[in-house]
Amino acid sequence: MSVSLRVLDDGAWVSVNDSRQVSVSELWRLDAPEFCSCTVPDFVVENFQSVGVDGRTITANVYGQCIQCGETGVPGWIPVGRLKNGEYVDLDRENVVLPAHDGHEN
Amino acid sequence: MPTDVERWKSEVYGNEIREHLFEFAEEGWDSIPEDERDAWFERFKWWGLYHQRSGQESYFMLRIGTPNGRLDPGQLRVVGEVAKEYATGPGTNPIFGDAYADITTRQAIQLHWIKLEDVPDLFEKLEANGLTAQQACGDSWRNIVGNPMAGNDAEEIIDAWPVIKELNETFKGDDDHSNLPRKWKVSVAGSADGSGQGDINDLALEPAYKEIDGERTVGFNVRVGGGLARNEPRHARDIDVWVAPEDAAAVSGGLSALFRDHGDRENRYNARIKFLVDEWGTEKVREVLQEDYVDFELETAGEDVRDQYTYNAGGDGRNDLVGIHKQKDGKNFVGLNVLVGRMGADDVLELADLAEKYGSGAARLTQRQNIIIPDVPDEELDEFLSEDLLDHYSPDPSPFMRGSVACTGTEFCSLSIVETKNRQVRFARWLKENVELPEGIDQFHIHLSGCTASCAQPQIADVSLRGMKTRKNGDPVEALDIGLGGGLGEEPQFARWVTQRVPVDEVPGAIKNLLASFEELREGDETFRDFIQRHDDDELADLVEPEETSYEDPMMHNTKRTWYPYAEEDSLDAGPAPTHADGTPITSDD
Ligand code: HEM
Ligand code: SF4
Ligand SMILES: [Zn+2]
């Protein structure tokens, strides 16, 4: 099962199988102890740098900012959705805590 | 590895996109194979079409490039007519209505809610009237900017229009320059006021004198690598080249070819020539240009007139082109304020009538999102100024109206974080009612951009506003970063971002408090920009003081999470998109 993943319009959104799935301007709560000193960084998504897949999880490398402390940067790979029978299923990104992981390239 | 965009461009790009575009238009939105949509939308940009954001699928923004912001007699009417006929969609804007045209900070025109199926008729009408959307977006020569009154501005030292015209005719549709690593923004100006805003363009030709064969000759100094986007603002840098008007196309084409061959195609974020200039330095840029891209000896830079620049500089003299100004031929050009650059289609048509009645029918667009009616004789001036339409599009507006610039924002734009144009209108109206500027200050520029792409050029304003988010009482709300003290002029400066993430409803209060501090602490008659400059960031952060006031913001919530922020039922899936040509929703069993 091949899936087409890309970042488009200068980092505005993530496309999965030619359909816009994740957009900048969302506010995520992260489990990202290395990113800033906040217990649960409150992270505004400003720009998608790249998108990848880890097993059946779609992950994105994003630039943004923690609105509690102001730290900016790329906190690592963040899960944004899952593949289920080849179909993309959104995570409830704005209501769960998303774990950041170090790089996996693909 | 080449990026997807580079791969798509290597397959089909430039002029040839048009026939595919027309085929899809013929067969309807649905005929674009799903797995080719990303590729085609990227390519359509080259023909001025930008797919609108999520929730608005099948609708496009169309950008019409008007070189130097120049609309010949009759063309303003065409803009009004196409806006009225084609730029309507399922959403109605509470301030601007159903059909409107946007004047952009690069002297172009943007229409929204365009249906793919209408593109052939729309293009035919534009092209029959000398207008085009070709290369208005995409990786190529974009709309060339400058002083829109070129040729007839009493303050100019050289007429830049023949050069702009030649560059536009040479590089629009030229296959050798149609696929660059990234956009290529050019400014050419001949006025001594700095109204070309060359400093923030990839390539700037600025008026300069040079001794050639014993004669003082007027031509242009060349600067390269300016731009504002992505937290990486740069001023265009002096590469020590002066060029005569007749060689401007050779040097400009040489530089865009240099960019074509040496720009970064592996990483779009690093692609703009500003990064190549960072990497190479100006001496190497000049050297490579000389050795590989031009076949005559380049002159060294001439004597510029930057010390006379006033445009958007925050001091005395012409900070914009609003108001009544003398032309070379003795007639007048009348700059009218268009708040945040947006005009209802009916207003455009009415203004086209007035332009014919009092002027020549021509119009001009400025980089401060305003419109100029040129060629008004002295004896017609009073009657023109007493027209009702000019109450709204005023040649003498409140400084807060006059100084407002705003980008597209969450209404249509994928990259946006906050609502922009309507918000800036609300800000300007509130400030006009509630805030006095200190004695002698009659210019105050506030630019609002919905994200770091900086389409509203926030870094070169007195007060720079940039979209962000924050929490207020625990709830996520739209917020703005506040920057201060930016401007152009002889020594351009970018704003310093002194206060971050101010909830949008506290921003007017912050500006009010800042202006009160300015009045109190001002030394003599110093300008706002000088005042900002003599304070450090911490001092300035103290002066900003965000505060709730009588200003109320109805768009505090996440306006991006709507299909259209102003719809009654605004949730992302409540909108009709994607739709057929006639606007009815395309359903899955279609
Ligand atoms: C659908 C709406 C729009 C989209 C998606 C869009 C996209 C962008 C992007 C991605 C950039 C950053 C360029 C870069 O990274 O090099 C940018 C910059 C810019 N755009 Fe837009 N834009 C839109 C509307 C506008 C409007 C309305 C204007 C004029 C009012 C405009 C004029 C500019 C200018 C002046 C910049 C300045 C930054 C620079 O010079 O580097 N764009 N735009
Ligand atoms: S500045 Fe950002 S939000 Fe505004 S139009 Fe440009 S890309 Fe869109
Ligand atoms: Zn933090």
Side-chain angles (χ1 to χ4, degrees):
Chain A
M1 184 69 231
S2 85
V3 52
S4 114
L5 296 173
R6 42 180 90 94
V7 168
L8 285 171
D9 285 354
D10 304 297
W13 41 280
V14 167
S15 161
V16 183
N17 291 332
D18 285 76
S19 149
R20 293 189 269 199
Q21 297 296 358
V22 195
S23 169
V24 294
S25 96
E26 289 185 6
L27 195 53
W28 297 347
R29 290 181 183 277
L30 300 182
D31 174 4
E34 320 249 293
F35 181 65
C36 64
S37 51
C38 301
T39 330
V40 186
D42 214 355
F43 183 82
V44 181
V45 181
E46 290 188 77
N47 213 268
F48 292 97
Q49 314 276 307
S50 47
V51 54
V53 57
D54 187 359
R56 280 179 305 158
T57 304
I58 307 293
T59 56
N61 209 5
V62 295
Y63 174 89
Q65 167 169 164
C66 171
I67 61 171
Q68 291 170 49
C69 67
E71 183 65 56
T72 60
V74 179
W77 290 89
I78 315 287
V80 295
R82 290 225 162 72
L83 289 173
K84 216 170 161 183
N85 306 321
E87 294 278 307
Y88 174 83
V89 185
D90 251 344
L91 286 181
D92 185 8
R93 291 178 300 272
E94 296 197 290
N95 293 305
V96 298
V97 174
L98 303 166
H101 292 290
D102 285 346
H104 58 86
E105 280 307 320
N106 71 314
Chain B
M1 211 184 52
T3 60
D4 283 326
V5 175
E6 282 300 327
R7 190 164 48 77
W8 295 329
K9 292 194 317 186
S10 70
E11 289 162 10
V12 180
Y13 208 60
N15 290 305
E16 58 179 339
I17 297 165
R18 185 184 173 104
E19 57 186 278
H20 298 273
L21 174 62
F22 277 38
E23 237 169 83
F24 289 129
E26 183 78 27
E27 300 189 3
W29 156 264
D30 251 3
S31 68
I32 309 173
E34 257 175 59
D35 62 353
E36 295 178 17
R37 283 192 181 156
D38 286 349
W40 285 112
F41 296 159
E42 189 61 45
R43 295 178 182 127
F44 290 168
K45 293 178 190 171
W46 201 89
W47 278 99
L49 289 159
Y50 212 114
H51 193 208
Q52 290 181 190
R53 70 170 172 86
S54 328
Q56 304 172 354
E57 283 75 13
S58 80
Y59 289 97
F60 290 82
M61 177 271 273
L62 175 72
R63 190 179 290 160
I64 304 165
T66 42
N68 209 31
R70 190 180 160 107
L71 289 165
D72 290 333
Q75 289 182 332
L76 183 61
R77 182 176 308 287
V78 174
V79 170
E81 285 171 359
V82 295
K84 203 171 162 80
E85 185 167 358
Y86 300 106
T88 52
T92 298
N93 184 297
I95 296 177
F96 298 99
D98 270 326
Y100 38 83
D102 289 349
I103 300 166
T104 79
T105 48
R106 297 198 75 258
Q107 294 169 282
I109 293 159
Q110 289 186 180
L111 307 177
H112 292 94
W113 297 122
I114 301 298
K115 295 299 296 180
L116 188 59
E117 293 84 351
D118 287 332
V119 166
D121 288 348
L122 215 176
F123 277 20
E124 190 182 341
K125 170 138 189 177
L126 291 176
E127 288 163 8
N129 290 284
L131 293 165
T132 177
Q134 189 184 26
Q135 287 178 218
C137 310
D139 295 342
S140 61
W141 277 68
R142 297 294 192 83
N143 193 45
I144 301 170
V145 299
N147 176 323
M149 287 308 300
N152 215 344
D153 177 15
E155 290 190 21
E156 82 186 5
I157 55 178
I158 178 173
D159 179 2
W161 175 244
V163 174
I164 294 172
K165 191 161 177 280
E166 186 188 1
L167 294 180
N168 184 57
E169 283 165 6
T170 308
F171 298 109
K172 221 173 232 184
D174 178 344
D175 287 337
D176 285 342
H177 299 264
S178 68
N179 178 358
L180 303 177
R182 202 72 168 69
K183 59 172 84 166
W184 181 250
K185 293 178 168 177
V186 178
S187 162
V188 184
S191 288
D193 65 351
S195 54
Q197 301 204 126
D199 284 323
I200 56 168
N201 281 265
D202 295 295
L203 168 63
L205 301 188
E206 302 192 303
Y209 297 97
K210 181 87 184 170
E211 186 90 6
I212 301 289
D213 301 328
E215 253 185 76
R216 191 168 144 92
T217 313
V218 195
F220 305 94
N221 278 351
V222 180
R223 290 183 179 231
V224 182
L228 299 176
R230 278 180 199 291
N231 286 326
E232 298 272 6
R234 298 284 187 287
H235 295 121
R237 282 147 279 179
D238 181 357
I239 61 163
D240 193 23
V241 171
W242 178 91
V243 63
E246 58 275 20
D247 294 326
V251 168
S252 303
L255 281 161
S256 85
L258 179 154
F259 175 52
R260 175 194 64 209
D261 300 342
H262 297 281
D264 187 350
R265 288 183 193 260
E266 308 270 305
N267 176 1
R268 289 183 68 74
Y269 300 126
N270 194 41
R272 292 283 292 275
I273 198 168
K274 65 186 177 187
F275 298 114
L276 189 65
V277 178
D278 289 358
E279 188 189 322
W280 280 11
T282 51
E283 276 169 38
K284 179 167 175 191
V285 173
R286 190 185 201 284
E287 239 170 69
V288 175
L289 173 68
Q290 176 71 75
E291 273 166 33
D292 300 342
Y293 295 97
V294 290
D295 52 16
F296 53 88
E297 191 69 26
L298 293 168
E299 301 284 347
T300 57
E303 176 200 333
D304 64 38
V305 294
R306 291 177 65 93
D307 60 348
Q308 296 174 49
Y309 283 11
T310 56
Y311 194 85
N312 203 16
D316 292 338
R318 212 159 71 174
N319 268 274
D320 59 26
L321 298 172
V322 173
I324 300 150
H325 304 271
K326 267 288 169 241
Q327 295 180 180
K328 270 186 192 163
D329 63 6
K331 293 182 183 166
N332 304 281
F333 70 86
V334 182
L336 303 176
N337 183 52
V338 181
L339 188 53
V340 301
R342 182 167 286 180
M343 274 184 101
D346 289 325
D347 290 351
V348 175
L349 291 169
E350 201 180 327
L351 188 61
D353 289 340
L354 299 184
E356 266 160 33
K357 184 167 173 203
Y358 298 103
S360 58
R364 301 282 184 265
L365 311 177
T366 81
Q367 294 188 56
R368 299 197 51 76
Q369 300 181 322
N370 295 319
I371 196 160
I372 294 170
I373 301 302
D375 307 324
V376 182
D378 285 345
E379 60 276 17
E380 302 275 351
L381 211 45
D382 284 342
E383 205 183 325
F384 178 43
L385 296 176
S386 66
E387 289 282 352
D388 289 347
L389 191 69
L390 272 60
D391 292 344
H392 193 69
Y393 302 99
S394 170
D396 186 22
S398 142
F400 292 116
M401 300 283 182
R402 182 174 187 152
S404 286
V405 170
C407 75
T408 304
T410 49
E411 188 176 15
F412 301 112
C413 173
S414 299
L415 270 160
S416 60
I417 301 180
V418 300
E419 187 217 27
T420 50
K421 278 199 195 290
N422 288 31
R423 173 166 286 137
Q424 181 69 25
V425 171
R426 297 192 300 269
F427 282 178
R429 288 179 178 164
W430 188 89
L431 291 166
K432 180 184 165 188
E433 291 306 313
N434 294 283
V435 180
E436 290 281 332
L437 282 168
E439 181 75 28
I441 302 285
D442 57 358
Q443 297 270 346
F444 197 69
H445 293 177
I446 302 177
H447 295 191
L448 169 55
S449 251
C451 79
T452 58
S454 304
C455 301
Q457 307 173 342
Q459 300 93 332
I460 54 167
D462 294 309
V463 173
S464 317
L465 303 175
R466 185 173 65 191
M468 243 301 131
K469 292 227 156 130
T470 193
R471 280 187 200 273
K472 189 162 171 156
N473 310 322
D475 295 327
V477 295
E478 297 196 350
L480 295 169
D481 289 343
I482 300 182
L484 299 174
L488 296 178
E490 184 179 12
E491 293 297 336
Q493 272 163 327
F494 295 128
R496 286 144 62 198
W497 296 100
V498 298
T499 305
Q500 255 93 41
R501 300 181 301 280
V502 177
V504 284
D505 61 337
E506 300 175 24
V507 170
I511 296 172
K512 183 182 171 141
N513 291 336
L514 171 68
L515 282 167
S517 303
F518 171 44
E519 176 140 45
E520 191 187 325
L521 304 172
R522 187 181 183 195
E523 289 176 357
D525 57 359
E526 79 182 326
T527 65
F528 182 76
R529 202 169 147 187
D530 289 339
F531 170 78
I532 295 302
Q533 204 170 359
R534 73 177 164 82
H535 289 89
D536 68 28
D537 289 10
D538 290 338
E539 291 168 331
L540 292 174
D542 287 343
L543 299 183
V544 172
E545 289 184 276
E547 188 185 7
E548 284 181 12
T549 57
S550 62
Y551 173 83
E552 284 183 33
D553 200 305
M555 295 283 144
M556 296 280 285
H557 63 302
N558 188 342
T559 55
K560 190 77 172 287
R561 271 278 188 217
T562 64
W563 74 271
Y564 188 64
Y566 313 112
E568 193 84 23
E569 265 301 320
D570 68 356
S571 73
L572 252 183
D573 45 18
T579 64
H580 293 292
D582 64 2
T584 55
I586 296 173
T587 53
S588 51
D589 47 53
D590 253 297

